[in-house]
Amino acid sequence: MSIDGVSDLWDQLLGAQPDPPRALVLVTAVAGFLAVAITVVWRVTRNAVTIAHEGGHALIALLSGRKLKGIRLEFDTSGLTLSAGRPTGLGMILTLLGGYIAPSLVGVLGAWLLGGNRITLLLWLAVALLLLMLINIRNFFGVISLVVTGAIVFAVSWYASAQVQAAFAYAGVWFLLFGGVRPVFELQRLRSRGRMRDSDADQLARLTHLPALFWVGVFLVVNLLALATGAFLLAGQWLPELSAAV
């Protein structure tokens, strides 16, 4: 590739795209919500939330000085991240805390990038993170999940029109913002039935001597705040018009 070609590619990656139509922001918000709210759809789309969940565990484990042993993604949309290090202490607490809040926080990061119209940058970052995660996958279904997801995101970022890229990016971010909330309710429902006794919340309870329900509440509050923040960022292009109207 020539120097001019590299320069053009770099400009495309870091440059801002045009503002999307307001209708697109609203339609993708509805699409993201329905992908979470409709159970039969959620059974499939939840895999993307699991990828972000386990990625959150893995990232925090590495940042806290733990050694990442591997990640598994299962067909039933469950997952497991194994790391080596002290079984107690702040690093372990943060690693456990990172899972349920990761999809929502990734959604906020995506909303911030979209607020600056960095659509291409967002898509390429997603591909890069999926590739990094793929290195640590330890089961066949996990490999397939990440390869398929990464291929879809790359195909959209490389071949699709600007309008399609914008719709895909906005729908994906809305989905993560909404999709971070539902698993918390699912977690507590299963816990109330005596299942998932070794959930992230229960492990945090054993480490901190705070009730598991407290940690479920932390997950929920963080994710609801992330949803509100992300929605504010995604609707930011409307704020000047709303202020002028007032």
Side-chain angles (χ1 to χ4, degrees), residues 202-216:
D202 290 280
Q203 293 184 64
L204 283 166
R206 291 193 289 270
L207 287 173
T208 63
H209 306 293
L210 293 170
L213 188 60
F214 168 82
W215 291 108
V216 174

Side-chain angles (χ1 to χ4, degrees), residues 25-108:
V25 181
L26 178 60
V27 169
T28 53
V30 173
F33 175 77
L34 292 178
V36 174
I38 300 175
T39 299
V40 67
V41 179
W42 174 243
R43 289 171 182 166
V44 177
T45 59
R46 197 184 194 282
N47 281 289
V49 173
T50 302
I51 290 172
H53 179 116
E54 300 305 329
H57 282 315
L59 177 61
I60 299 301
L62 291 172
L63 292 177
S64 61
R66 299 179 63 82
K67 182 178 180 181
L68 186 61
K69 304 291 286 185
I71 304 169
R72 294 180 63 89
L73 303 172
E74 305 295 349
F75 184 75
D76 63 357
T77 73
S78 65
L80 177 66
T81 298
L82 297 175
S83 61
R86 288 183 57 195
T88 59
L90 182 61
M92 189 64 200
I93 292 172
L94 292 176
T95 298
L96 290 168
L97 185 61
Y100 275 96
I101 64 175
S104 295
L105 295 183
V106 171
V108 171

Side-chain angles (χ1 to χ4, degrees), residues 185-203:
F185 288 101
E186 293 176 339
L187 167 65
Q188 184 53 31
R189 184 171 66 251
L190 291 172
R191 292 189 64 259
S192 68
R193 296 174 181 175
R195 300 167 61 184
M196 292 190 71
R197 297 182 182 276
D198 203 34
S199 70
D200 294 350
D202 290 280
Q203 293 184 64

